[in-house]
Amino acid sequence: MHHPGPPRFVAVGDEVELAPRDPDPAATYAWTVVAAPAASTATLGDEPVEYFHPDEPGRYVVALDAPDGRHELTVRAFPGGLAPTSEAPSYPRSGAAETTADEAAAGTSGDGGDGSGRTDEADETLADPDGGGRPRLALSATVTDDAVVVEADPQPHPDGTETAADLDVAVLFDDRDDLEREDVRIADGTVTIPLDAISDRARVHAVAVGRHGYSVPDAVDIRREVGGAVASGDGGEVTVHRPYDPPAWAEDSVIYEVYVRTFPGQGSDAAAAGGVFDAIRERLDYIEGLGVDTLWLTPVLATDDAPHGYNVTDFFSLAADLGTREEYERLIDAAHDRDMRVLFDLVCNHSARAHPYYQAAVSDPSSEYREWYEWRGPGEPETYFDWELIANFDFSHLPVRRHLLDAVDEWAPLVDGFRCDMAWAVPNAFWREVHDRLKARDSEFLLLDETIPYIPDFQAGLFDVHFDSTTYAALRRVGNGEPAEAVLDAVDDRARSGFPDHAGFMLYAENHDETRYLVECGRPAAEAALGALFTLPGAPMVYAGQEFGQRGKRDDLAWAHADEALRAHVRRLTALRDEVPALATAAALERVSYDVREGWDDRVVAFRRERAVTESDADADAATAETDAVVVVLNFGAEPATVAVDAAAGATDLLTGASVEAGDGIRVDSVVVLPAVSSGARR
């Protein structure tokens, strides 16, 4: 249906993009404000895509009249006083008249603040001197004999003086459901919904609200099978889903990025014959042997002459120089045969200027495609970074949204997820629609955003896993001499910026846009950086060639000149991460005390990882029990270090199986993983 989606939490002065879902460009759509705070004068225009600006705190209801009826959407506006503290800056909206390269690098959500906001203080009020910032929230739900009980777990900012008891919880019910608010009891952050009030679906959305703003929204989705009876105490036909959690498979995946045109390397017969897909398929056994379970292919669609593939000329055809549709599907099938998932690189912000629609728009001002693009001047399209070969789409034009949604529908059934290019440059409302559209078909489909720096609000029904650009930047700084503790600070910054604990992250040290880490930081630091990727919480990503010392970021891979020792290092890391429960993403991360007896103090960092022990672990074998907790020591220095770590419970490196005992400490060349005493056994 055309309903615009979930309710919105915003702040006074924020912009909320309103757009009909699954749009018919030939249809008529009309927006109106049907409820608003008494003092509000906020209005809406008569375009199919509108931008709503709440001007008073309180509850708004906007209505969309569409071919399938009237749809209402609730907007909860908080006062525009104190912005919630976030590591993410404010972003310019796509299509702004002037956009600097630095601003473009930061990015934009396009749905201006629709998920970040302010508290009840006046705009001119200074920030509270107690520090802190944006709170966080997670919802859980339990089905009882006669109700579904939804409980909120608000968490204050880790650096502030607020406590969970100081935070309020604001709740909204989804306008798409027929749940009546008067049938629901809300008290002290708990929502109780009688089972007989749920017909087929009830979605609950909430934020935590404190002195410094409000959290990223969280949601639970309660469903009853059509025609199902009232649930019994064991849950019956009523089930509860958490729609903003990443797919379980993605949280601990090992991702391998393939820059498709240079991956085969020089002399590849298949690639020379226009069979790049076949050449990649021939390397799948090798990739699987690295311990990889997820393949990210850079863009494969028809493109201009730029080899990276991000300048798309046809969103429904594959690039002829890569191979045929049959060969592409054969590659996907071969990956699936190896239990390897595949990510499609989805480009939505722009097309190539060589795209036929852009060519028509620029050559004829009266062309129907003129409205498909944003323009900064006559004959000059809007773009980012002063890129000369792309033109930004105008998402306020329904045919653009329809075209891109159709492209999503074309490619999603073949793959397991989308890596979303320049996610910050596409409106939030569009991504929400893509998220809901795909999850309705396959709840395990992955949406991975490229957003630098990351944006906490993208966790709320837009994307499942986020580029951890903060840890990437910290690894680069550490590789260039900054104290190694910065990598732990970077992981802590996830919570500081407002991400809830259930957010997913992709860890990386390099990709096709960056200088190879080994080239910039040297071989010893490169080994340590790989160690960080596989031992910190998140899904590690290896860029093809990183595992064997490739030096050019987009050159033909030098398969014949591989650094076999580095490749063996990667294989050990992937195997260890798969075998050791304490290295899973969900395992806790804790700083530990350590003393560098020999070597450079600031080149070393140590930390502890521990998985939560559950009742089902009673029957676990001894080997698993021994790896419930580990201590990781990383050395980014050029020389080995001797490090004493009290938290370690042994001197046998789990990564190599060798003893690393060295006098009054342990010897660390680049990465050491040691057994540790679990919290249950600590005195």
Side-chain angles (χ1 to χ4, degrees):
M1 62 180 175
H2 296 307
H3 193 288
R8 311 292 176 82
F9 297 93
V10 299
V12 169
D14 283 344
E15 180 180 83
V16 183
E17 184 191 39
L18 301 171
R21 292 191 169 189
D22 200 20
D24 176 359
T28 299
Y29 300 93
W31 294 93
T32 54
V33 179
V34 297
S40 173
T41 59
T43 60
L44 286 166
D46 54 6
E47 297 296 325
V49 178
E50 282 289 330
Y51 300 91
F52 182 56
H53 298 86
D55 57 355
E56 292 288 336
R59 178 176 176 271
Y60 296 78
V61 177
V62 296
L64 170 66
D65 288 306
D68 60 342
R70 168 167 280 212
H71 306 288
E72 293 188 344
L73 176 73
T74 300
V75 177
R76 172 70 166 90
F78 297 102
L82 296 176
T85 302
S86 173
E87 296 302 316
S90 297
Y91 304 103
R93 184 155 65 87
S94 173
E98 296 182 6
T99 306
T100 68
D102 288 342
E103 288 171 335
T108 175
S109 66
D111 192 358
D114 159 332
S116 64
R118 299 162 174 84
T119 60
D120 292 345
E121 303 295 332
D123 288 350
E124 65 273 12
T125 303
L126 296 176
D128 194 296
D130 64 359
R134 192 173 193 182
R136 301 182 298 141
L137 179 80
L139 295 178
S140 61
T142 304
V143 181
T144 69
D145 289 344
D146 57 0
V148 177
V149 180
V150 180
E151 294 185 280
D153 178 19
Q155 301 174 41
H157 190 275
D159 295 337
T161 60
E162 284 184 304
T163 67
D166 296 325
L167 302 174
D168 293 326
V169 176
V171 176
L172 290 178
F173 298 104
D174 204 293
D175 303 277
R176 293 167 290 183
D177 306 329
D178 59 6
L179 183 67
E180 298 294 336
R181 194 177 184 93
E182 55 266 26
D183 293 332
V184 176
R185 186 172 74 253
I186 304 176
D188 299 324
T190 299
V191 180
T192 303
I193 308 172
L195 291 178
D196 58 11
I198 303 170
S199 58
D200 62 344
R201 196 170 190 181
R203 283 162 281 194
V204 180
H205 306 261
V207 295
V209 186
R211 289 192 297 269
H212 299 278
Y214 62 91
S215 69
V216 172
D218 196 19
V220 292
D221 185 352
I222 304 158
R223 303 180 192 179
R224 185 201 297 280
E225 292 182 11
V226 176
V230 172
S232 61
D234 64 359
E237 285 92 0
V238 174
T239 58
V240 175
H241 307 268
R242 287 187 40 79
Y244 299 165
D245 282 355
W249 67 264
E251 293 187 85
D252 285 304
S253 59
V254 176
I255 302 169
Y256 189 79
E257 181 194 358
V258 170
Y259 188 78
V260 292
R261 284 177 172 80
T262 59
F263 178 80
Q266 291 183 343
S268 168
D269 293 336
V276 173
F277 295 138
D278 280 345
I280 296 171
R281 181 171 54 82
E282 291 171 359
R283 292 275 187 184
L284 286 182
D285 287 342
Y286 164 79
I287 296 170
E288 182 185 24
L290 291 174
V292 168
D293 56 25
T294 303
L295 195 64
W296 158 23
L297 303 176
T298 55
V300 297
L301 296 182
T303 185
D304 60 12
D305 293 332
H308 52 68
Y310 288 95
N311 304 345
V312 178
T313 57
D314 185 343
F315 286 84
F316 297 89
S317 297
L318 295 168
D321 64 315
L322 300 181
T324 65
R325 173 82 176 234
E326 179 183 7
E327 291 166 345
Y328 175 67
E329 293 190 15
R330 190 162 61 213
L331 166 61
I332 304 303
D333 290 342
H336 288 164
D337 288 343
R338 293 165 173 79
D339 294 324
M340 193 180 298
R341 291 178 169 87
V342 180
L343 304 183
F344 180 100
D345 208 324
L346 181 69
V347 181
C348 285
N349 170 69
H350 57 266
S351 80
R353 296 193 194 185
H355 194 292
Y357 293 176
Y358 177 78
Q359 290 296 307
V362 76
S363 62
D364 180 7
S366 64
S367 167
E368 64 176 295
Y369 296 112
R370 187 78 178 181
E371 294 181 85
W372 280 58
Y373 294 93
E374 296 178 328
W375 302 91
R376 64 173 58 171
E380 182 62 25
E382 187 58 67
T383 184
Y384 288 107
F385 305 108
D386 294 324
W387 286 336
E388 297 180 350
L389 300 177
I390 66 168
N392 288 358
F393 284 128
D394 185 347
F395 280 83
S396 68
H397 191 49
L398 286 188
V400 168
R401 302 175 96 100
R402 178 74 270 161
H403 187 76
L404 293 172
L405 288 171
D406 290 344
V408 164
D409 292 345
E410 176 74 17
W411 302 110
L414 300 180
V415 295
D416 305 281
F418 287 149
R419 177 267 188 188
C420 300
D421 180 61
M422 294 177 65
W424 47 266
V426 175
N428 284 8
F430 181 80
W431 287 131
R432 282 194 189 90
E433 179 173 4
V434 169
H435 176 278
D436 291 356
R437 189 181 189 89
L438 295 174
K439 298 293 186 175
R441 302 171 187 172
D442 178 7
S443 62
E444 293 295 294
F445 196 90
L446 174 66
L447 287 164
L448 166 67
D449 67 18
E450 183 214 21
T451 300
I452 304 171
Y454 50 42
I455 302 174
D457 289 293
F458 277 11
Q459 179 61 34
L462 286 81
F463 299 98
D464 302 307
V465 176
H466 318 278
F467 271 47
D468 192 344
S469 53
T470 300
T471 303
Y472 159 80
L475 285 170
R476 289 283 170 150
R477 295 196 308 273
V478 171
N480 282 291
E482 183 171 312
E485 287 277 344
V487 298
L488 300 184
D489 296 338
V491 175
D492 288 344
D493 280 345
R494 298 172 183 174
R496 288 193 177 96
S497 67
F499 279 103
D501 290 339
H502 55 266
F505 294 90
M506 185 188 78
L507 292 161
Y508 64 104
E510 59 185 59
N511 60 35
H512 66 273
D513 286 327
E514 312 296 345
T515 302
R516 294 283 187 174
Y517 193 94
L518 181 147
V519 171
E520 181 177 333
C521 305
R523 174 69 154 68
E527 282 196 19
L530 282 163
L533 300 183
F534 283 88
T535 58
L536 291 171
M541 188 275 280
V542 174
Y543 177 37
Q546 180 180 1
E547 77 275 16
F548 60 71
Q550 177 80 12
R551 302 185 69 83
K553 69 179 181 181
R554 296 183 182 180
D555 299 347
D556 287 323
L557 290 192
W559 293 104
H561 303 283
D563 181 335
E564 293 297 342
L566 187 59
R567 183 147 57 194
H569 179 62
V570 171
R571 285 179 172 142
R572 286 194 296 267
L573 286 167
T574 60
L576 186 69
R577 192 174 184 279
D578 182 58
E579 296 165 1
V580 175
L583 294 179
T585 292
L589 172 68
E590 177 185 344
R591 294 175 189 253
V592 298
S593 298
Y594 58 95
D595 182 27
V596 180
R597 303 288 171 82
E598 293 183 17
W600 293 95
D601 291 5
D602 63 354
R603 311 308 297 138
V604 174
V605 63
F607 52 92
R608 188 173 181 280
R609 300 292 311 281
E610 181 174 1
R611 72 156 185 155
V613 179
T614 64
E615 294 180 5
S616 63
D617 295 322
D619 298 327
D621 59 42
T624 299
E626 288 179 358
T627 54
D628 282 340
V630 297
V631 165
V632 179
V633 188
L634 304 175
N635 175 21
F636 288 83
E639 301 295 332
T642 301
V643 185
V645 188
D646 291 341
T652 299
D653 181 11
L654 298 174
L655 187 61
T656 63
S659 173
V660 290
E661 189 171 6
D664 56 354
I666 58 169
R667 175 190 168 101
V668 184
D669 293 327
S670 58
V671 186
V672 165
V673 181
L674 302 171
V677 179
S678 67
S679 58
R682 282 190 284 177
R683 290 181 291 178

